[in-house]
Amino acid sequence: QVQLVESGGGLVQPGGSLRLSCAASGFTFSWYAMSWYRQAPGKERELVAVISTAGGSTNYADSVKGRFTISRDNAKNTVYLQMNSLKFEDTDVYFCYGNNYWGQGTQVTVSS
């Protein structure tokens, strides 16, 4: 069955960095664009970044442009989100999405 498993979340100080990973299985990963979303309690899920099938095209929410980088390794069936210069307002649960499936989410907390 299709699985998307995120990892790499945690607690980080403002200005710090984290790299999220999402390991995919159960489908042909390289056929699908992949995305990262985030969601705070009581708020709608927000698109953070999206990457094309081969990785040649990416798009970002304005709030993360210049700080976050999405990438993928089709040989490893994995999509990444490198998050730099983290801010308090980046605190959210981050979800991987692809092929109409969601991962379970990983918590990112930015706090001093």
Side-chain angles (χ1 to χ4, degrees):
Q1 72 277 20
V2 172
Q3 281 194 310
L4 297 173
V5 180
E6 299 100 333
S7 61
L11 174 65
V12 63
Q13 293 186 339
S17 297
L18 282 175
R19 188 175 84 151
L20 306 183
S21 299
C22 172
S25 61
F27 65 102
T28 307
F29 180 75
S30 61
W31 289 4
Y32 295 89
M34 297 295 297
S35 305
W36 286 97
Y37 285 74
R38 65 186 182 185
Q39 187 172 26
K43 292 190 175 182
E44 290 191 1
R45 202 162 287 190
E46 171 194 25
L47 177 63
V48 175
V50 59
I51 188 166
S52 61
T53 54
S57 178
T58 57
N59 278 291
Y60 299 90
D62 287 343
S63 57
V64 307
K65 278 181 183 175
R67 300 188 298 120
F68 290 11
T69 303
I70 189 171
S71 62
R72 66 190 295 161
D73 185 338
N74 285 346
K76 295 182 178 180
N77 290 350
T78 302
V79 61
Y80 305 97
L81 186 67
Q82 177 67 43
M83 305 186 295
N84 298 329
S85 303
L86 283 160
K87 305 176 180 180
F88 292 118
E89 52 264 42
D90 294 319
T91 296
D92 273 325
V93 179
Y94 285 71
F95 297 88
C96 176
Y97 175 81
N99 188 21
N100 294 320
Y101 287 87
W102 293 95
Q104 82 286 355
T106 186
Q107 176 71 49
V108 171
T109 302
V110 184
S111 175
S112 54

